[in-house]
Amino acid sequence: MYARRDIVVNHTPELKRASLTKINEPLFSEPQIIDLTNDFQVDLKHCTKPIVLDVPAFSEEPIDASHVIFGMATKLDRLESSIIFLQRWIAYTHARLLVVAVSPDEGPPDSKRMRSLERHMRNLGIDVTIVKPLHKDDNMAQRYFSLARLMYRTRDSRTQWISFVDDDTFFPSIHSLISVLDTYDPQEHWYLGGMSEEWWSVVRYGFMGFGGAGIFLSVPLAAIINANYESCEERSGAGAGDMKIRECIAWHTNTKLTHIRGLHQIDMHGDRSGLFESGRLLLSLHHWKAGWWDESGYGAGFPMSAMHQVADVCGDCFLQRWQFGTDTILSNGYSIAEYPKGRLSGYKNDTDLDRVENTWLPAGIVTNSSNPGWDHYLGPLRPKMKLEEEKVQYRFLDSLAVDGGVRQLYLHTGIDREPDTVVELFWIQKKRIETSSLEIPRERSAIDPT
């Protein structure tokens, strides 16, 4: 089964990004059965005209983030596999990336491979420096904490912030992230970050910035950590680098964490669709790589670079939601969800849809706590819907930059011998149509069998 819709993106000044925008028409017409055994070119029987969606205007030029140094501690093989994702947010921004690297077996890194990776990443627009650990016997927590000293020592006159990230930290909108940082005076002492979404983790590890969400320290605060680095390292017994940062700040300053809503550790297991389908502007994402426990076990992870590709056309529209008609919601780059039992029309108001659907596994139990697990960060949740009965989900499959736009594919796997259904969305900017000879194909579509 196959359906397609072309989407024309209209950049609209002064428009604010909405959690949910309602469109009074269906997203696509009735899917049709297609046969790819003879021809990959398909004649569409139900051709729906392109739809225009307004999005906030955005700059297509890379932002100047030269006042930020990002630091990461990882293995060389994990760094290499992360390049495609790093390109999506840090390339050509003039932000610097400092990586403390070890070999895949936690041993000393190969110097030749380090320099080769450096050259490759720099050729891709990533201003990276890869270094060996401060001390050859440093464990992961110590290597992470050492970034505070290394980033501080490599600062220059432009540097205002040093940031700690993991190799699976992803910033969907570096423009929005820098806009948030710019609301804080970098001459003051600031400890910015995101706490865990799980209350059990906060109770266990403390009120701190969790490293995978991204931690940001102003240079004056980083100077205090640098001055007390040895004593903090000697005194600390913490088994994680982000905990060492919190301890050192607490021991030598009165600075408390300023929680930045939108920086996400994603400390939930199982199906995380509820967060990705929330429509919220997520400043950072974490735990999306292969090996994190998802609905299929230790899953293959998300194809984040492909999911995020639509942002090239529509800016902060990644994971933005549109409701089409009364029964379909597009969470851009993640899913198309149909609600066949009229559940959308059953909601009394939009407040229900503003609540995140609790699709993942339960939180750890905190005795005598009135917080059921997630309220402190995500707010009250709405119950999980039963897949295939209350909610039919077409999950993102892949994307491709083509014909001046971005082509997305979403897949619903058939059950009980029903055929699979593929929905294709083609996103293109309105101005590209108006200023060129481009035409949106409406009658035929090429299906890539791979």
Side-chain angles (χ1 to χ4, degrees), residues 181-380:
L181 290 180
D182 287 347
T183 63
Y184 296 90
D185 183 353
Q187 301 304 315
E188 298 180 1
H189 291 179
W190 287 109
Y191 170 28
L192 310 178
M195 71 179 86
S196 173
E197 300 89 351
E198 184 187 42
W199 185 238
W200 180 89
S201 294
V202 175
V203 172
R204 179 180 175 88
Y205 300 111
F207 184 67
M208 68 176 193
F210 280 66
I215 297 171
F216 297 84
L217 306 183
S218 60
V219 167
L221 182 60
I224 294 176
I225 295 180
N226 179 66
N228 295 279
Y229 177 80
E230 286 83 3
S231 64
C232 287
E233 181 55 59
E234 182 178 350
R235 182 179 176 184
S236 174
D242 48 9
M243 296 173 67
K244 289 178 177 289
I245 293 169
R246 183 205 64 189
E247 288 178 335
C248 197
I249 292 173
W251 289 334
H252 297 284
T253 78
N254 292 319
T255 306
K256 308 298 182 187
L257 173 71
T258 297
H259 171 66
I260 304 299
R261 184 176 181 182
L263 295 177
H264 281 279
Q265 174 75 2
I266 310 192
D267 271 340
M268 55 270 285
H269 294 273
D271 182 4
R272 289 152 287 171
S273 293
L275 182 63
F276 284 92
E277 294 176 340
S278 68
R280 299 179 180 184
L281 179 61
L282 308 181
L283 293 175
S284 67
L285 299 170
H286 184 231
H287 286 154
W288 50 269
K289 270 189 175 182
W292 187 250
W293 185 264
D294 64 12
E295 61 266 44
S296 60
Y298 285 101
F302 295 127
M304 191 60 68
S305 60
M307 290 167 61
H308 186 256
Q309 193 169 33
V310 72
D312 294 343
V313 176
C314 51
D316 285 350
C317 71
F318 175 57
L319 300 182
Q320 187 173 349
R321 294 185 303 179
W322 282 270
Q323 178 180 330
F324 293 87
T326 60
D327 62 0
T328 303
I329 291 182
L330 165 67
S331 298
N332 193 10
Y334 185 78
S335 72
I336 298 169
E338 292 183 336
Y339 298 82
K341 290 189 174 182
R343 292 299 296 266
L344 288 183
S345 59
Y347 285 129
K348 296 180 180 179
N349 52 57
D350 292 342
T351 301
D352 294 314
L353 285 175
D354 284 340
R355 295 187 175 190
V356 178
E357 183 185 354
N358 189 5
T359 58
W360 51 88
L361 299 177
I365 297 174
V366 178
T367 305
N368 297 324
S369 174
S370 59
N371 185 339
W374 317 98
D375 285 10
H376 63 289
Y377 194 138
L378 301 177

Side-chain angles (χ1 to χ4, degrees), residues 17-91:
R17 184 188 188 278
S19 169
L20 179 69
T21 300
K22 294 185 177 181
I23 307 297
N24 293 323
E25 61 177 279
L27 175 57
F28 52 87
S29 56
E30 186 72 21
Q32 68 184 70
I33 297 176
I34 58 175
D35 182 1
L36 300 180
T37 57
N38 298 316
D39 189 359
F40 295 150
Q41 295 292 327
V42 178
D43 291 315
L44 301 182
K45 298 178 181 178
H46 309 291
C47 184
T48 307
K49 68 178 183 179
I51 187 170
V52 177
L53 296 182
D54 295 332
V55 302
F58 69 98
S59 172
E60 297 180 63
E61 296 299 320
I63 194 169
D64 181 5
S66 58
H67 57 306
V68 184
I69 303 176
F70 293 93
M72 176 191 302
T74 189
K75 300 177 182 179
L76 281 178
D77 57 333
R78 286 185 63 91
L79 174 62
E80 187 169 13
S81 68
S82 299
I83 292 174
I84 188 174
F85 311 112
L86 289 167
Q87 278 185 271
R88 293 297 309 170
W89 63 267
I90 198 173

Side-chain angles (χ1 to χ4, degrees), residues 110-149:
D110 180 82
S111 297
K112 185 177 180 181
R113 189 179 182 194
M114 287 170 60
R115 301 289 79 82
S116 176
L117 272 179
E118 257 188 3
R119 289 192 298 271
H120 175 55
M121 294 174 73
R122 289 174 180 175
N123 287 336
L124 295 173
I126 302 172
D127 186 359
V128 65
T129 301
I130 307 174
V131 300
K132 297 179 180 180
L134 271 181
H135 307 101
K136 65 178 183 179
D137 295 328
D138 280 352
N139 59 31
M140 177 58 186
Q142 292 168 324
R143 296 194 297 269
Y144 188 101
F145 182 60
S146 73
L147 288 166
R149 165 151 287 184

